[in-house]
């Protein structure tokens, strides 16, 4: 008996010692295991789809939910509740309208230009039920860029929201010349050739379209096109396949979301975050989402309390706006337990917790067109994701040395890239393989190829160049550092400097422009700045430039600062040199070149004085 008791005591002591050792040496072991099990489970499901050639798409999942929980609220918009059956029936009506007209067939692409509203989802799902792909158009893009989008995705039909039709007036003739049908989600149209859709939807039967019409036999079949600034040029149509849609829709589930959650979506649906993760994630777990037409910092917590929100989506700027709101009583009196998004700065993260409680902030990393995703399932402040030995076996990625001056990865004497050490900043590359394919952009193999790096570590290998500088610390947490190349983020949007440069070049007094992003303390991302050379014999006209930027550029892409130069610095490969310009910033006391600031109140680019500079730094100047 004593011997048995001794063995039991020894066993308990051993288990306790192992537990203490695990806590000290591997503090995240069990959280990593549980997360990895979820990843593997979901990955095996994807592999089964490949074997059986029977893909259960996001749309299929929605139809299943509509059958199982028909009376549960799926979308609540402006106080009105739309059940799973409501959205299913209305999307059937949209499908029936186009089916009856015979204007689309399986495999066609239809463009969608709408603000956030339930009919965005109904049109999206209705067209998908016909086997069509849908191209989400950014509601901020202007005439020239919008026309370019149709060439990218090959769409011959455009469905536009009633409130956005007037923004198309200047390009309607061009659309009609290209034989693009325009349908407005309204009952009447004052524009010749623009057909009305809402009246026909309301009269159409809600009969379902046969399942074989939407059936997908491959995960690689495109289902959406989402436009991204990418790294260069005009907007590019990122190909979104069923594989990518299914992965994104599992985001809330992977973080522990359940059918009891209420999800708050204040982000635009044309972004992959709101559509793929938000709407897709909500229906995946059978939850309810509160869809906002537009984000309002003053309304945010009122809505969260009113609708008992438990999960909200964010970008870093959104959280900063909330923290900048005046303090109010009962700020921590809500049911929000989780935020899912990206771009949350450490200082804002800590302030958000201090103001609104210990809400679990679930940072994730991944681009619309990319083939790699990181998720910070631990919740460590400042990290966008976490890796480990097993994760690296599944997802092949590397951080390589990057030359900021030459604006390219460092290659050794053998011509191969060199990995950085733990704790060092490097360019994130993601390997292209059968498990992690890269679908690139529609309409141009050249654009897709520019995103790829070949012969990175050995001859014949291929990696996606994310354009992001990251660091992986000694605890395997991955942190974002900066973007490289020709793209920066401002106001939660990617700004392609090449596109802005081309538009600035249309101004008659500008000979050359070099666009880049500069950091402004207290603000997320980088603000646009352009170094320009004025044509000989011309004068800089701040009012004319302001009017041009206002007309042809979305608000987030308009340069806040202009720097007048006599000549442009170039790299050894004849690229415009941005590194020194970025480093020098916009301080008028340190820059001898004339500087100008975009003043919305004056409707002009005005000289950037020390007084304006000080107001910008103190946050008193509206940007």
């Amino acid at each position: 008996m004593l011997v048995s008791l001794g063995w039991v005591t020894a066993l308990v002591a051993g288990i306790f010692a192992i537990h203490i050792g695990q806590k000290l040496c591997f503090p995240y072991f069990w959280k990593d295991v549980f997360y990895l099990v979820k990843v593997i489970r979901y990955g095996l499901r994807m592999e089964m789809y490949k074997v059986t050639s029977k893909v259960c798409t996001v749309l299929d999942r929605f139809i299943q939910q509509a059958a199982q929980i028909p009376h549960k609220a799926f979308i609540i918009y402006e106080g009105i509740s739309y059940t799973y059956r409501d959205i299913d029936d209305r999307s059937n009506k949209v499908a029936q309208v186009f089916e009856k007209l015979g204007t689309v067939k399986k495999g066609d692409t239809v463009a969608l230009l709408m603000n956030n509203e339930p009919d965005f989802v109904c049109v999206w799902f209705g067209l998908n039920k016909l086997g069509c792909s849908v191209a989400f158009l950014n509601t901020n893009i202007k005439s020239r860029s919008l026309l370019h989008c149709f060439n990218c995705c090959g769409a011959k039909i455009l469905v536009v929201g009633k409130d956005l039709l007037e923004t198309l007036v200047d390009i309607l003739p061009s659309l009609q010349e290209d034989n693009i049908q325009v349908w407005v989600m309204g009952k009447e149209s004052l524009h010749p050739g623009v057909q009305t859709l809402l009246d026909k939807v309301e009269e159409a039967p809600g009969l379902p379209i046969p399942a074989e019409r939407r059936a997908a036999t491959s995960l690689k079949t495109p289902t959406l096109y989402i436009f991204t600034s990418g790294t260069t040029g005009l907007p590019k149509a990122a190909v979104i396949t069923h594989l990518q849609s299914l992965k994104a829709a599992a985001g809330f589930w992977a973080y522990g979301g359940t059918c009891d959650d209420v999800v708050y979506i204040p982000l635009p649906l044309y972004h992959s975050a709101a559509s793929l993760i938000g709407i897709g994630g909500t229906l995946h777990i059978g939850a309810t989402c509160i869809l906002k037409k537009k984000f309002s910092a003053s309304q945010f917590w009122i809505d969260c309390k009113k609708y008992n929100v438990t999960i909200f989506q964010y970008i870093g700027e959104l959280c900063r706006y909330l923290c900048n709101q005046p303090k109010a009583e009962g700020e921590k009196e809500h049911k929000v337990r989780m935020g899912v998004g990206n771009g949350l700065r450490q200082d804002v993260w800590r302030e958000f917790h201090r103001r609104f409680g210990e809400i679990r902030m679930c940072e994730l990393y991944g681009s619309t067109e990319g083939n790699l995703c990181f998720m910070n399932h631990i919740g460590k402040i400042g990290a966008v994701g976490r890796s480990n030995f097993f994760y690296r076996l599944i997802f092949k990625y590397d951080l390589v040395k990057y030359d900021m001056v030459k604006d390219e990865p460092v290659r050794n004497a053998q011509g191969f890239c060199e990995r950085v050490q733990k704790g060092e900043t490097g360019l994130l590359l993601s390997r292209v393989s059968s498990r992690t394919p890269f679908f690139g952009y529609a309409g141009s193999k050249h654009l897709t190829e520019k995103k790829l790096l070949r012969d990175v570590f050995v001859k014949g290998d291929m990696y996606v160049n994310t354009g992001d500088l990251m660091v992986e610390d000694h605890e395997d947490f991955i942190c974002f550092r900066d973007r490289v190349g020709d793209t920066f983020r401002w106001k939660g949007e990617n700004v392609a400097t090449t596109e802005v440069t081309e538009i600035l070049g249309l101004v008659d007094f500008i000979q050359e422009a070099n666009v880049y992003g500069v950091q402004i303390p207290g603000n997320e991302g980088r603000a646009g700045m352009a170094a320009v050379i004025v044509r000989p014999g011309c004068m800089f006209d701040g009012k004319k430039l302001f009017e041009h930027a206002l007309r042809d550029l979305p608000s987030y892409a308009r340069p806040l600062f202009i720097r007048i130069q006599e000549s442009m610095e170039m790299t050894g490969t004849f690229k415009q040199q941005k590194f020194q310009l970025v480093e020098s910033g916009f301080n008028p006391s340190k820059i001898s070149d004339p500087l100008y600031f975009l003043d919305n109140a004056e409707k002009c680019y005005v000289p950037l004085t020390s007084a304006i500079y000080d107001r910008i730094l103190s946050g008193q100047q509206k940007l």
Side-chain angles (χ1 to χ4, degrees):
M1 184 67 180
L2 291 174
V3 174
S4 299
L5 185 60
W7 275 107
V8 170
T9 303
L11 180 61
V12 171
I15 293 173
F16 181 74
I18 292 172
H19 175 71
I20 295 298
Q22 176 258 308
K23 285 288 186 182
L24 292 174
C25 301
F26 306 101
Y28 309 109
F29 178 80
W30 290 111
K31 287 185 178 181
D32 285 343
V33 167
F34 293 142
Y35 171 71
L36 197 61
V37 167
K38 280 193 168 185
V39 171
I40 293 172
R41 278 175 56 195
Y42 206 71
L44 289 174
R45 188 185 303 177
M46 299 298 105
E47 292 300 318
M48 285 301 297
Y49 292 157
K50 293 179 183 178
V51 173
T52 61
S53 296
K54 293 181 180 179
V55 181
C56 180
T57 66
V58 170
L59 178 62
D60 290 329
R61 178 63 175 163
F62 167 72
I63 293 172
Q64 290 173 5
Q65 297 285 32
Q68 293 170 8
I69 48 174
H71 304 298
K72 181 171 183 176
F74 175 35
I75 296 173
I76 297 176
Y77 178 76
E78 295 186 346
I80 301 174
S81 179
Y82 302 84
T83 67
Y84 276 81
R85 175 172 287 175
D86 290 336
I87 301 298
D88 188 34
D89 288 347
R90 192 164 175 83
S91 62
N92 284 339
K93 288 173 176 284
V94 172
Q96 289 290 352
V97 170
F98 286 105
E99 177 76 349
K100 182 179 179 180
L101 293 170
T103 54
V104 297
K105 62 183 185 297
K106 187 170 183 175
D108 285 352
T109 300
V110 179
L112 179 58
L113 180 68
M114 293 180 73
N115 283 312
N116 284 15
E117 58 179 280
D119 272 340
F120 184 110
V121 180
C122 294
V123 174
W124 164 17
F125 287 179
L127 291 166
N128 275 174
K129 286 178 177 181
L130 293 172
C132 296
S133 299
V134 183
F136 295 164
L137 301 183
N138 188 322
T139 56
N140 290 295
I141 56 179
K142 305 279 182 171
S143 55
R144 180 168 170 263
S145 297
L146 195 60
L147 288 172
H148 165 79
C149 291
F150 287 91
N151 296 327
C152 289
C153 64
K156 290 300 179 182
I157 294 177
L158 168 64
V159 179
V160 59
K162 182 181 178 180
D163 58 337
L164 291 174
L165 181 59
E166 292 303 315
T167 66
L168 298 178
V169 171
D170 60 332
I171 64 166
L172 279 176
S174 298
L175 292 173
Q176 290 164 355
E177 284 177 12
D178 292 338
N179 296 316
I180 294 172
Q181 296 181 31
V182 180
W183 291 77
V184 62
M185 203 64 177
K187 295 182 179 180
E188 59 181 27
S189 170
L190 301 177
H191 303 282
V194 175
Q195 303 178 69
T196 56
L197 183 58
L198 186 58
D199 53 334
K200 298 175 180 62
V201 168
E202 291 182 350
E203 294 175 1
L207 301 173
I209 299 294
E212 57 266 21
R213 186 70 182 272
R214 69 174 187 271
T217 57
S218 172
L219 286 170
K220 297 181 180 180
T221 302
T223 181
L224 296 171
Y225 296 97
I226 295 181
F227 285 84
T228 173
S229 297
T231 54
T232 57
L234 291 163
K236 294 184 279 291
V239 180
I240 307 299
T241 64
H242 290 297
L243 175 63
Q244 290 156 294
S245 295
L246 287 165
K247 285 181 177 179
F252 293 153
W253 170 79
Y255 277 128
T258 72
C259 62
D260 296 323
D261 281 308
V262 177
V263 181
Y264 192 79
I265 304 178
L267 308 178
L269 287 173
Y270 61 75
H271 268 188
S272 56
S275 53
L276 301 186
I277 299 174
I279 295 296
T282 297
L283 67 88
H284 180 81
I285 58 178
T288 298
C289 77
I290 312 302
L291 180 64
K292 294 291 290 183
K293 184 172 184 177
K294 192 175 182 180
F295 167 69
S296 168
S298 60
Q299 190 69 27
F300 183 89
W301 291 113
I302 296 174
D303 286 340
C304 286
K305 293 175 183 179
K306 178 180 178 180
Y307 296 109
N308 294 317
V309 171
T310 57
I311 299 175
F312 75 95
Q313 283 194 279
Y314 69 87
I315 54 173
E317 282 290 87
L318 185 150
C319 295
R320 188 175 68 83
Y321 293 148
L322 293 176
C323 289
N324 287 342
Q325 285 291 295
K327 294 182 179 179
E329 289 291 328
E331 288 185 332
K332 296 182 180 181
E333 295 173 5
H334 53 74
K335 295 183 179 179
V336 178
R337 65 183 182 87
M338 184 191 303
V340 179
N342 65 283
L344 186 56
R345 293 203 324 250
Q346 292 189 43
D347 57 335
V348 177
W349 196 326
R350 291 188 176 91
E351 174 64 10
F352 192 84
H353 276 171
R354 191 185 67 79
R355 283 277 301 271
F356 309 114
E358 291 295 320
I359 298 169
R360 182 187 176 202
M361 304 304 286
C362 301
E363 274 277 304
L364 51 82
Y365 169 85
S367 62
T368 302
E369 72 275 31
N371 66 339
L372 176 69
C373 177
F374 292 124
M375 299 179 74
N376 181 3
H377 60 276
I378 301 296
K380 180 177 179 179
I381 292 177
V384 300
R386 176 165 168 75
S387 186
N388 53 52
F389 172 78
F390 299 103
Y391 192 86
R392 281 187 286 269
L393 289 178
I394 302 171
F395 302 100
K396 303 292 185 181
Y397 70 91
D398 281 284
L399 299 177
V400 301
K401 295 180 180 179
Y402 191 81
D403 190 322
M404 291 294 292
V405 176
K406 293 182 178 179
D407 196 22
E408 61 185 25
V410 174
R411 297 269 184 171
N412 60 24
Q414 290 73 41
F416 298 127
C417 294
E418 298 182 349
R419 295 178 175 89
V420 299
Q421 299 295 316
K422 278 282 186 74
E424 291 182 354
T425 299
L427 176 68
L428 176 64
L429 306 180
S430 175
R431 187 166 185 177
V432 178
S433 67
S434 60
R435 187 184 294 115
T436 54
F438 177 65
F439 300 102
Y441 308 104
S444 175
K445 291 184 178 179
H446 172 68
L447 292 174
T448 300
E449 187 62 32
K450 285 185 69 174
K451 193 70 175 174
L452 298 172
L453 287 178
R454 299 178 185 274
D455 303 330
V456 176
F457 299 112
V458 295
K459 287 288 183 181
D461 66 5
M462 183 165 55
Y463 283 74
V464 176
N465 178 1
T466 67
D468 292 322
L469 295 174
M470 314 283 274
V471 63
E472 187 171 344
D473 66 21
H474 294 281
E475 288 188 312
D476 293 325
F477 286 102
I478 299 164
C479 302
F480 175 82
R481 285 291 179 261
D482 208 347
R483 293 187 68 84
V484 299
D486 295 323
T487 299
F488 59 89
R489 286 183 72 81
W490 180 245
K491 302 297 183 184
E493 298 277 354
N494 283 347
V495 180
T497 58
T498 304
E499 180 183 359
V500 179
T501 299
E502 290 174 359
I503 290 174
L504 293 182
L506 298 175
V507 180
D508 57 8
F509 62 83
I510 293 181
Q511 176 175 299
E512 188 176 355
N514 186 2
V515 179
Y516 52 98
V518 292
Q519 290 184 324
I520 301 178
N523 287 266
E524 184 70 29
R526 293 174 180 269
M529 186 166 183
V532 303
I533 297 176
V534 177
R535 291 185 185 279
C538 295
M539 297 286 290
F540 178 81
D541 187 334
K543 187 170 183 61
K544 179 183 286 189
L545 181 58
F546 178 89
E547 293 171 350
H548 182 80
L550 187 71
R551 183 179 65 250
D552 291 335
L553 288 170
S555 58
Y556 59 82
R558 296 167 196 156
L560 261 63
F561 308 104
I562 300 294
R563 178 174 179 170
I564 309 298
Q565 292 192 303
E566 294 185 0
S567 62
M568 292 286 179
E569 292 186 46
M570 310 294 284
T571 68
T573 53
F574 303 102
K575 295 179 182 178
Q576 289 180 332
Q577 177 64 267
K578 299 179 188 288
F579 181 73
Q580 297 297 336
L581 291 170
V582 172
E583 289 294 296
S584 60
F586 60 99
N587 189 341
S589 66
K590 295 183 178 180
I591 298 173
S592 58
D593 296 329
L595 298 176
Y596 292 84
F597 171 68
L598 186 152
D599 192 325
N600 286 298
E602 294 292 330
K603 299 186 184 307
C604 181
Y605 278 92
V606 300
L608 178 58
T609 63
S610 296
I612 294 176
Y613 177 80
D614 291 339
R615 289 204 302 271
I616 292 172
L617 293 192
S618 65
Q620 296 175 352
Q621 179 69 49
K622 186 175 181 180
L623 302 178

